[in-house]
Amino acid sequence: MEKAWWKEAVVYQIYPRSFMDSNGDGIGDLNGITSRLDYLKELGIDVIWLSPVYQSPNDDNGYDISDYQAIMQEFGTMEDFDKMIEGIHARGMRLVMDLVVNHTSDEHAWFLESRKSKDNPYRDYYIWREGKDGQAPNNWGSYFSGSAWQHDDATDMYYLHLFSKKQPDLNWENPKVREEVFSMMNWWCAEKGIDGFRMDVINLISKQPGLPDGPKAPKELYGYANCANGPRVHEFLKEMNQKVLSKYELITVGEAPGVTVEEAKRYAGFDEKELNMVFQFEHVGLDGGEYGKWTDKRVPLTEFKKVMSKWQTELDGQAWNSLYLGNHDQPRSISRFGDDSPEYREVCAKMLATCLHMMQGTPYVYQGEEFGMTNVPFDDISEVRDIESINAYREMSEAGLISREDMLRFICLKGRDNARTPVQWDDSENAGFTTGTPWIKVNPNYKQINAKAALEDKNSIFYYYQKLIALRKEEPVMVYGHYALLEPDHESLYVYTRSLDEQKLLVICNFTKEPAGYEVPAEFAGAQILIGNYQRDKVEGTIELKPYEAIVLKK
Ligand code: GLC
Ligand code: CA
């Protein structure tokens, strides 16, 4: 397999609103990030992916952009940005920007023009349709509840918004839209010196011709807007690659809800000239139910193994995986896939990190995950800030589908704000995130769980991540090795191997708090213990895994 720096890299995601506030207004900002670069360097990561910092009215916390070439005032200035990127590069790290071009904000200049009249030069930048019998043009629902169509009085027509009504979808069929987007991307690369893009819902940009009604499950309120992997998406991405990406040394990852392995091979195939990798969603869909994510179902380990293994083996040699358990849209990984109780939180977080980082692909660490931040006990819906959760709470309870009590409980388990409370830097007021009033509540467990405490404890989750990240630089098998699953039906152990030429790793993870027996394959007799979350001298013959134990052997 061809080597590439982005295959060997570890990416750290920053959600700027919640990372670090430098001026006491309660909102994280660019200078706050700059002040913490040494911390990230110490962790050892190679790349920072920054969630959007562009000018935005913040209907969806910056994923609704009103100017792609300006910095959101709350986050600072373009000078602050330049200082930040300089600091990142000076430390040998790189910067990935979020590219949100499936939609803009309704306050973007293009949309302000577009909505004015049917013959405005910007009209076709967006997707406008006539209503049908006084109703929306089709049955598509928005990801954030309600119809995906908004009626606009000025021209008595509807515009499409797959997300909030303040996020109108761009019309990628229009070549002018593509040129605008590509020239903006070139500006960030050539003028600002950024090192890559994480592309927001990039597989939704090509809509089905004719915009047909989507299938409607019996209890669903709206039809499913079937826009994933549309007919022209690969053509658009190849054009983007040719006109922008291929001109620089970038790392690119496309967010792709609903992507299949077959499709991923096209987006991220080594010979396809589109993207380096995609974020797939199958493993984070395993705890979904009748009403999507709003349930208390847990992920069954055997299914998790099956999905992860499918991606590992089927992309091998053909395309590249991204590896993640958490991000700004997902609950905290330790709470969701593991055990966040005081007794097991640390050991379990290390086990999950081992299981993920030992796989083939580029690992992503979400802010706070490196010291085990957990889900948040929201006591009332008024504490929740996320538009998705707030809208779903209203829609589900008003339709009588899920009670308010259950919705709040599900939001505490699955809502996006679990990942968006301030990073817990220390045990001082507001967890050291701000001297002001934070824009969203701080997780009350910050006195026990914070970065400072982790840095002071040689056995902490932080140093375990540091070791995992360092190992990646020393062990090519960790990056390029082939993956094979062992014990597929075992209900508490996840065991797999990685192999590259003569090198071979055995990864054993106990996903439960019950001890579990395991017979180590004979070929690993006398093997070295590469890393593990308990102290052990040797691992041979039949062993008993301790609660949430992880062991990696190297032969
Ligand atoms: C992506 C982002 C999410 C955002 C949505 C609309 O899924 O990760 O945060 O709300 O796109 O831009
Ligand atoms: Ca601030």
Side-chain angles (χ1 to χ4, degrees):
M1 190 190 306
E2 218 173 294
K3 297 200 164 165
W5 73 266
W6 46 266
K7 294 179 183 166
E8 297 171 14
V10 175
V11 183
Y12 183 95
Q13 184 190 353
I14 289 182
Y15 193 68
R17 207 171 187 78
S18 310
F19 190 68
M20 180 67 208
D21 175 24
S22 71
N23 63 352
D25 66 355
I27 296 170
D29 47 49
L30 299 182
N31 289 337
I33 296 171
T34 304
S35 74
R36 296 291 180 178
L37 292 178
D38 286 332
Y39 168 83
L40 298 178
K41 184 66 193 169
E42 184 172 2
L43 183 58
I45 54 107
D46 307 278
V47 178
I48 294 170
W49 150 28
L50 196 57
S51 279
V53 295
Y54 316 95
Q55 187 178 300
S56 162
N58 279 310
D59 193 49
D60 186 20
N61 287 356
Y63 282 90
D64 48 321
I65 296 169
S66 53
D67 186 341
Y68 289 107
Q69 285 165 254
I71 299 295
M72 190 192 301
Q73 266 178 25
E74 290 173 330
F75 289 173
T77 63
M78 196 51 93
E79 287 70 52
D80 297 335
F81 178 87
D82 293 340
K83 228 170 48 204
M84 179 190 71
I85 194 169
E86 205 184 289
I88 291 170
H89 287 159
R91 287 167 181 79
M93 301 186 289
R94 306 191 210 213
L95 179 65
V96 162
M97 294 290 275
D98 220 306
L99 180 80
V100 188
V101 290
N102 173 70
H103 44 266
T104 68
S105 162
D106 67 339
E107 298 181 33
H108 193 289
W110 301 338
F111 191 75
L112 295 179
E113 284 301 312
S114 184
R115 78 190 327 174
K116 278 183 186 163
S117 66
K118 293 185 186 175
D119 55 8
N120 187 284
Y122 288 90
R123 187 65 169 181
D124 284 337
Y125 273 46
Y126 296 87
I127 302 172
W128 292 95
R129 291 291 183 275
E130 302 283 351
K132 265 202 326 224
D133 316 320
Q135 303 259 316
N138 70 23
N139 73 355
W140 293 359
S142 144
Y143 285 97
F144 294 161
S145 302
S147 168
W149 294 94
Q150 177 68 22
H151 180 263
D152 204 48
D153 286 337
T155 55
D156 191 24
M157 284 177 75
Y158 290 78
Y159 65 85
L160 179 69
H161 61 90
L162 293 181
F163 295 88
S164 100
K165 61 175 188 274
K166 287 184 66 61
Q167 293 168 300
D169 281 54
L170 281 166
N171 176 18
W172 274 72
E173 306 286 327
N174 182 348
K176 282 198 217 139
V177 166
R178 305 203 294 276
E179 287 310 324
E180 297 258 24
V181 168
F182 301 154
S183 94
M184 174 271 285
M185 292 172 74
N186 273 314
W187 182 83
W188 279 102
C189 296
E191 301 298 319
K192 292 280 135 188
I194 67 162
D195 307 291
F197 294 103
R198 173 270 185 187
M199 303 182 187
D200 195 62
V201 290
I202 199 67
N203 70 330
L204 304 186
I205 58 177
S206 164
K207 278 48 175 182
Q208 291 296 336
L211 311 183
D213 275 347
K216 208 170 154 183
K219 284 194 185 149
E220 251 161 15
L221 300 168
Y222 290 90
Y224 174 59
N226 199 4
C227 298
N229 319 312
R232 295 185 69 189
V233 67
H234 296 290
E235 174 197 332
F236 295 157
L237 288 177
K238 285 190 161 64
E239 186 183 346
M240 179 195 283
N241 185 294
Q242 190 215 329
K243 293 185 173 161
V244 186
L245 309 178
S246 59
K247 301 202 273 178
Y248 316 91
E249 276 274 295
L250 302 177
I251 173 172
T252 54
V253 51
E255 189 200 24
V259 74
T260 59
V261 162
E262 284 316 311
E263 277 294 327
K265 287 184 197 169
R266 300 185 63 189
Y267 289 111
F270 293 145
D271 303 320
E272 291 290 339
K273 299 203 163 44
E274 292 187 19
L275 306 175
N276 293 154
M277 60 194 120
V278 293
F279 288 128
Q280 57 86 14
F281 279 70
E282 271 193 80
H283 65 303
V284 291
L286 291 172
D287 51 5
E290 200 179 3
Y291 302 112
K293 70 203 261 182
W294 308 117
T295 131
D296 53 10
K297 187 178 162 196
R298 297 267 306 180
V299 179
L301 180 65
T302 45
E303 283 178 44
F304 180 71
K305 293 197 285 189
K306 204 157 124 196
V307 165
M308 296 306 275
S309 301
K310 178 177 77 181
W311 284 88
Q312 286 290 300
T313 50
E314 294 196 22
L315 293 197
D316 188 21
Q318 299 182 56
W320 195 246
N321 267 297
S322 70
L323 304 171
Y324 75 97
L325 292 178
N327 62 37
H328 66 293
D329 293 328
Q330 303 293 334
R332 288 287 175 179
S333 57
I334 179 68
S335 306
R336 181 192 209 169
F337 295 100
D339 184 336
D340 61 9
S341 68
E343 193 176 359
Y344 295 119
R345 183 185 64 92
E346 296 209 45
V347 78
C348 185
K350 294 174 188 171
M351 183 278 287
L352 290 173
T354 312
C355 188
L356 192 75
H357 283 237
M358 287 292 159
M359 290 183 188
Q360 190 189 76
T362 300
Y364 289 73
V365 181
Y366 181 68
Q367 65 182 34
E369 188 178 78
E370 75 280 12
F371 58 89
M373 279 181 65
T374 67
N375 274 357
V376 183
F378 293 104
D379 298 317
D380 189 90
I381 189 70
S382 63
E383 292 180 345
V384 175
R385 299 282 173 272
D386 170 28
I387 181 169
E388 183 196 44
S389 295
I390 292 170
N391 288 358
Y393 178 86
R394 193 180 353 97
E395 182 174 63
M396 290 296 172
S397 59
E398 278 173 10
L401 296 175
I402 303 179
S403 71
R404 283 164 193 269
E405 294 68 39
D406 278 346
M407 262 316 280
L408 187 61
R409 194 162 58 81
F410 297 158
I411 287 170
C412 292
L413 291 170
K414 305 295 268 310
R416 305 197 296 180
D417 279 349
N418 285 300
R420 298 177 179 186
T421 59
V423 168
Q424 295 157 211
W425 292 106
D426 56 41
D427 62 3
S428 69
E429 204 182 349
N430 297 320
F433 163 73
T434 180
T435 53
T437 307
W439 69 276
I440 187 172
K441 89 175 200 178
V442 175
N443 193 323
N445 64 19
Y446 72 93
K447 289 211 189 277
Q448 290 76 47
I449 303 175
N450 60 67
K452 182 159 174 273
L455 287 169
E456 284 165 359
D457 170 11
K458 283 289 156 220
N459 272 321
S460 69
I461 303 168
F462 180 92
Y463 292 115
Y464 193 89
Y465 266 89
Q466 188 187 56
K467 186 165 176 200
L468 273 176
I469 294 167
L471 273 176
R472 196 176 170 79
K473 315 290 177 217
E474 295 158 17
E475 304 288 344
V477 61
M478 228 177 124
V479 180
Y480 297 107
H482 305 291
Y483 166 104
L485 178 68
L486 307 183
E487 312 286 339
D489 301 322
H490 202 297
E491 281 171 11
S492 52
L493 296 185
Y494 193 155
V495 188
Y496 63 89
T497 58
R498 298 286 306 282
S499 36
L500 185 69
D501 306 323
E502 296 304 289
Q503 291 181 35
K504 195 161 183 186
L505 303 179
L506 177 71
V507 182
I508 318 166
C509 295
N510 182 3
F511 268 69
T512 71
K513 60 170 177 268
E514 311 305 332
Y518 179 66
E519 189 171 332
V520 178
E523 60 170 323
F524 283 93
Q528 171 201 350
I529 303 174
L530 201 58
I531 190 169
N533 59 356
Y534 285 87
Q535 195 53 48
R536 278 199 189 254
D537 295 333
K538 75 174 203 282
V539 177
E540 253 176 32
T542 302
I543 58 167
E544 188 177 79
L545 276 295
K546 301 196 171 70
Y548 300 108
E549 182 163 13
I551 305 173
V552 182
L553 299 182
K554 182 190 170 196
K555 93 168 188 174

PDB file of all heavy atoms in Angstrom, residues 60 63 103 144 163 167 198 200-201 255 328-329 416 420, ligand 1:
ATOM      1  N   ASP A  60     -27.104  27.142  13.756  1.00  0.00           N
ATOM      2  CA  ASP A  60     -26.591  25.789  13.977  1.00  0.00           C
ATOM      3  C   ASP A  60     -25.107  25.878  14.358  1.00  0.00           C
ATOM      4  O   ASP A  60     -24.266  25.165  13.817  1.00  0.00           O
ATOM      5  CB  ASP A  60     -26.809  24.949  12.698  1.00  0.00           C
ATOM      6  CG  ASP A  60     -26.427  23.484  12.879  1.00  0.00           C
ATOM      7  OD1 ASP A  60     -26.362  23.014  14.036  1.00  0.00           O
ATOM      8  OD2 ASP A  60     -26.186  22.811  11.852  1.00  0.00           O
ATOM      9  N   TYR A  63     -22.480  26.134  11.526  1.00  0.00           N
ATOM     10  CA  TYR A  63     -22.701  25.321  10.318  1.00  0.00           C
ATOM     11  C   TYR A  63     -23.700  26.007   9.380  1.00  0.00           C
ATOM     12  O   TYR A  63     -24.168  25.407   8.412  1.00  0.00           O
ATOM     13  CB  TYR A  63     -23.125  23.889  10.687  1.00  0.00           C
ATOM     14  CG  TYR A  63     -21.924  23.058  11.120  1.00  0.00           C
ATOM     15  CD1 TYR A  63     -21.526  22.995  12.443  1.00  0.00           C
ATOM     16  CD2 TYR A  63     -21.140  22.397  10.171  1.00  0.00           C
ATOM     17  CE1 TYR A  63     -20.397  22.267  12.827  1.00  0.00           C
ATOM     18  CE2 TYR A  63     -20.017  21.671  10.535  1.00  0.00           C
ATOM     19  CZ  TYR A  63     -19.650  21.610  11.864  1.00  0.00           C
ATOM     20  OH  TYR A  63     -18.533  20.901  12.225  1.00  0.00           O
ATOM     21  N   HIS A 103     -24.996  23.764   2.005  1.00  0.00           N
ATOM     22  CA  HIS A 103     -25.937  24.867   2.250  1.00  0.00           C
ATOM     23  C   HIS A 103     -25.160  26.075   2.747  1.00  0.00           C
ATOM     24  O   HIS A 103     -24.003  25.955   3.143  1.00  0.00           O
ATOM     25  CB  HIS A 103     -26.969  24.448   3.305  1.00  0.00           C
ATOM     26  CG  HIS A 103     -26.355  23.737   4.484  1.00  0.00           C
ATOM     27  ND1 HIS A 103     -26.262  22.360   4.550  1.00  0.00           N
ATOM     28  CD2 HIS A 103     -25.761  24.191   5.612  1.00  0.00           C
ATOM     29  CE1 HIS A 103     -25.655  22.005   5.671  1.00  0.00           C
ATOM     30  NE2 HIS A 103     -25.335  23.094   6.339  1.00  0.00           N
ATOM     31  N   PHE A 144     -33.548  18.387  10.950  1.00  0.00           N
ATOM     32  CA  PHE A 144     -33.825  19.082  12.210  1.00  0.00           C
ATOM     33  C   PHE A 144     -35.322  19.241  12.443  1.00  0.00           C
ATOM     34  O   PHE A 144     -35.773  20.248  12.993  1.00  0.00           O
ATOM     35  CB  PHE A 144     -33.139  20.454  12.220  1.00  0.00           C
ATOM     36  CG  PHE A 144     -31.632  20.402  12.232  1.00  0.00           C
ATOM     37  CD1 PHE A 144     -30.890  21.514  11.858  1.00  0.00           C
ATOM     38  CD2 PHE A 144     -30.959  19.262  12.641  1.00  0.00           C
ATOM     39  CE1 PHE A 144     -29.494  21.480  11.887  1.00  0.00           C
ATOM     40  CE2 PHE A 144     -29.560  19.219  12.670  1.00  0.00           C
ATOM     41  CZ  PHE A 144     -28.835  20.330  12.289  1.00  0.00           C
ATOM     42  N   PHE A 163     -31.442  20.957   6.338  1.00  0.00           N
ATOM     43  CA  PHE A 163     -31.239  21.188   7.773  1.00  0.00           C
ATOM     44  C   PHE A 163     -32.209  22.300   8.199  1.00  0.00           C
ATOM     45  O   PHE A 163     -33.346  22.284   7.762  1.00  0.00           O
ATOM     46  CB  PHE A 163     -29.749  21.445   8.058  1.00  0.00           C
ATOM     47  CG  PHE A 163     -28.941  20.206   7.758  1.00  0.00           C
ATOM     48  CD1 PHE A 163     -28.438  19.958   6.486  1.00  0.00           C
ATOM     49  CD2 PHE A 163     -28.761  19.233   8.745  1.00  0.00           C
ATOM     50  CE1 PHE A 163     -27.756  18.777   6.200  1.00  0.00           C
ATOM     51  CE2 PHE A 163     -28.081  18.044   8.468  1.00  0.00           C
ATOM     52  CZ  PHE A 163     -27.577  17.822   7.194  1.00  0.00           C
ATOM     53  N   GLN A 167     -30.769  27.340   6.811  1.00  0.00           N
ATOM     54  CA  GLN A 167     -29.663  26.699   6.079  1.00  0.00           C
ATOM     55  C   GLN A 167     -30.126  26.247   4.685  1.00  0.00           C
ATOM     56  O   GLN A 167     -30.208  25.044   4.415  1.00  0.00           O
ATOM     57  CB  GLN A 167     -29.128  25.499   6.879  1.00  0.00           C
ATOM     58  CG  GLN A 167     -28.428  25.897   8.186  1.00  0.00           C
ATOM     59  CD  GLN A 167     -28.172  24.704   9.102  1.00  0.00           C
ATOM     60  OE1 GLN A 167     -29.115  24.027   9.516  1.00  0.00           O
ATOM     61  NE2 GLN A 167     -26.923  24.445   9.422  1.00  0.00           N
ATOM     62  N   ARG A 198     -12.433  19.190   6.063  1.00  0.00           N
ATOM     63  CA  ARG A 198     -13.427  18.215   6.474  1.00  0.00           C
ATOM     64  C   ARG A 198     -14.711  18.734   5.836  1.00  0.00           C
ATOM     65  O   ARG A 198     -15.102  19.872   6.047  1.00  0.00           O
ATOM     66  CB  ARG A 198     -13.520  18.180   7.996  1.00  0.00           C
ATOM     67  CG  ARG A 198     -14.654  17.300   8.555  1.00  0.00           C
ATOM     68  CD  ARG A 198     -15.943  18.069   8.724  1.00  0.00           C
ATOM     69  NE  ARG A 198     -16.989  17.272   9.358  1.00  0.00           N
ATOM     70  CZ  ARG A 198     -18.240  17.675   9.496  1.00  0.00           C
ATOM     71  NH1 ARG A 198     -18.621  18.879   9.053  1.00  0.00           N
ATOM     72  NH2 ARG A 198     -19.128  16.916  10.067  1.00  0.00           N
ATOM     73  N   ASP A 200     -18.498  18.959   5.240  1.00  0.00           N
ATOM     74  CA  ASP A 200     -19.790  18.750   5.876  1.00  0.00           C
ATOM     75  C   ASP A 200     -20.796  18.107   4.908  1.00  0.00           C
ATOM     76  O   ASP A 200     -20.970  18.594   3.780  1.00  0.00           O
ATOM     77  CB  ASP A 200     -20.317  20.124   6.309  1.00  0.00           C
ATOM     78  CG  ASP A 200     -21.457  20.035   7.295  1.00  0.00           C
ATOM     79  OD1 ASP A 200     -21.242  19.504   8.390  1.00  0.00           O
ATOM     80  OD2 ASP A 200     -22.559  20.516   6.962  1.00  0.00           O
ATOM     81  N   VAL A 201     -21.471  17.057   5.364  1.00  0.00           N
ATOM     82  CA  VAL A 201     -22.493  16.345   4.571  1.00  0.00           C
ATOM     83  C   VAL A 201     -22.273  16.449   3.054  1.00  0.00           C
ATOM     84  O   VAL A 201     -23.194  16.733   2.285  1.00  0.00           O
ATOM     85  CB  VAL A 201     -23.929  16.791   4.928  1.00  0.00           C
ATOM     86  CG1 VAL A 201     -24.299  16.294   6.304  1.00  0.00           C
ATOM     87  CG2 VAL A 201     -24.125  18.305   4.869  1.00  0.00           C
ATOM     88  N   GLU A 255     -17.754  14.074   5.216  1.00  0.00           N
ATOM     89  CA  GLU A 255     -18.798  13.525   6.075  1.00  0.00           C
ATOM     90  C   GLU A 255     -19.877  12.944   5.166  1.00  0.00           C
ATOM     91  O   GLU A 255     -20.379  13.647   4.286  1.00  0.00           O
ATOM     92  CB  GLU A 255     -19.386  14.613   6.973  1.00  0.00           C
ATOM     93  CG  GLU A 255     -20.317  14.034   8.020  1.00  0.00           C
ATOM     94  CD  GLU A 255     -21.284  15.052   8.602  1.00  0.00           C
ATOM     95  OE1 GLU A 255     -21.574  16.074   7.944  1.00  0.00           O
ATOM     96  OE2 GLU A 255     -21.782  14.818   9.702  1.00  0.00           O
ATOM     97  N   HIS A 328     -18.646  16.264  17.375  1.00  0.00           N
ATOM     98  CA  HIS A 328     -19.535  17.290  17.929  1.00  0.00           C
ATOM     99  C   HIS A 328     -21.011  16.974  17.701  1.00  0.00           C
ATOM    100  O   HIS A 328     -21.867  17.716  18.173  1.00  0.00           O
ATOM    101  CB  HIS A 328     -19.192  18.642  17.292  1.00  0.00           C
ATOM    102  CG  HIS A 328     -19.500  18.656  15.830  1.00  0.00           C
ATOM    103  ND1 HIS A 328     -18.814  17.879  14.923  1.00  0.00           N
ATOM    104  CD2 HIS A 328     -20.435  19.328  15.116  1.00  0.00           C
ATOM    105  CE1 HIS A 328     -19.323  18.072  13.719  1.00  0.00           C
ATOM    106  NE2 HIS A 328     -20.307  18.946  13.797  1.00  0.00           N
ATOM    107  N   ASP A 329     -21.303  15.932  16.937  1.00  0.00           N
ATOM    108  CA  ASP A 329     -22.702  15.546  16.702  1.00  0.00           C
ATOM    109  C   ASP A 329     -23.088  14.296  17.491  1.00  0.00           C
ATOM    110  O   ASP A 329     -24.242  13.847  17.419  1.00  0.00           O
ATOM    111  CB  ASP A 329     -22.927  15.228  15.215  1.00  0.00           C
ATOM    112  CG  ASP A 329     -22.784  16.453  14.334  1.00  0.00           C
ATOM    113  OD1 ASP A 329     -23.102  17.564  14.792  1.00  0.00           O
ATOM    114  OD2 ASP A 329     -22.340  16.285  13.180  1.00  0.00           O
ATOM    115  N   ARG A 416     -26.635  16.059  20.894  1.00  0.00           N
ATOM    116  CA  ARG A 416     -25.337  16.595  20.456  1.00  0.00           C
ATOM    117  C   ARG A 416     -24.679  17.469  21.520  1.00  0.00           C
ATOM    118  O   ARG A 416     -23.463  17.623  21.535  1.00  0.00           O
ATOM    119  CB  ARG A 416     -25.517  17.381  19.155  1.00  0.00           C
ATOM    120  CG  ARG A 416     -26.192  16.567  18.051  1.00  0.00           C
ATOM    121  CD  ARG A 416     -26.013  17.171  16.688  1.00  0.00           C
ATOM    122  NE  ARG A 416     -26.638  18.480  16.535  1.00  0.00           N
ATOM    123  CZ  ARG A 416     -26.589  19.179  15.415  1.00  0.00           C
ATOM    124  NH1 ARG A 416     -25.954  18.699  14.346  1.00  0.00           N
ATOM    125  NH2 ARG A 416     -27.183  20.357  15.320  1.00  0.00           N
ATOM    126  N   ARG A 420     -20.794  19.140  23.545  1.00  0.00           N
ATOM    127  CA  ARG A 420     -20.584  20.566  23.312  1.00  0.00           C
ATOM    128  C   ARG A 420     -20.459  21.388  24.586  1.00  0.00           C
ATOM    129  O   ARG A 420     -20.356  22.614  24.529  1.00  0.00           O
ATOM    130  CB  ARG A 420     -21.721  21.114  22.438  1.00  0.00           C
ATOM    131  CG  ARG A 420     -21.750  20.439  21.076  1.00  0.00           C
ATOM    132  CD  ARG A 420     -22.910  20.902  20.211  1.00  0.00           C
ATOM    133  NE  ARG A 420     -22.869  20.234  18.913  1.00  0.00           N
ATOM    134  CZ  ARG A 420     -23.689  20.514  17.905  1.00  0.00           C
ATOM    135  NH1 ARG A 420     -24.628  21.444  18.054  1.00  0.00           N
ATOM    136  NH2 ARG A 420     -23.587  19.861  16.765  1.00  0.00           N
TER     137      ARG A 420
HETATM  138  C1  GLC B   1     -23.162  18.048   9.732  1.00  0.00           C
HETATM  139  C2  GLC B   1     -22.506  18.692  10.929  1.00  0.00           C
HETATM  140  C3  GLC B   1     -23.572  19.101  11.881  1.00  0.00           C
HETATM  141  C4  GLC B   1     -24.466  20.103  11.191  1.00  0.00           C
HETATM  142  C5  GLC B   1     -24.999  19.575   9.877  1.00  0.00           C
HETATM  143  C6  GLC B   1     -25.543  20.685   9.042  1.00  0.00           C
HETATM  144  O1  GLC B   1     -23.802  16.879  10.054  1.00  0.00           O
HETATM  145  O2  GLC B   1     -21.551  17.845  11.488  1.00  0.00           O
HETATM  146  O3  GLC B   1     -23.057  19.622  13.069  1.00  0.00           O
HETATM  147  O4  GLC B   1     -25.539  20.419  12.025  1.00  0.00           O
HETATM  148  O5  GLC B   1     -24.014  18.950   9.105  1.00  0.00           O
HETATM  149  O6  GLC B   1     -24.513  21.515   8.613  1.00  0.00           O
END
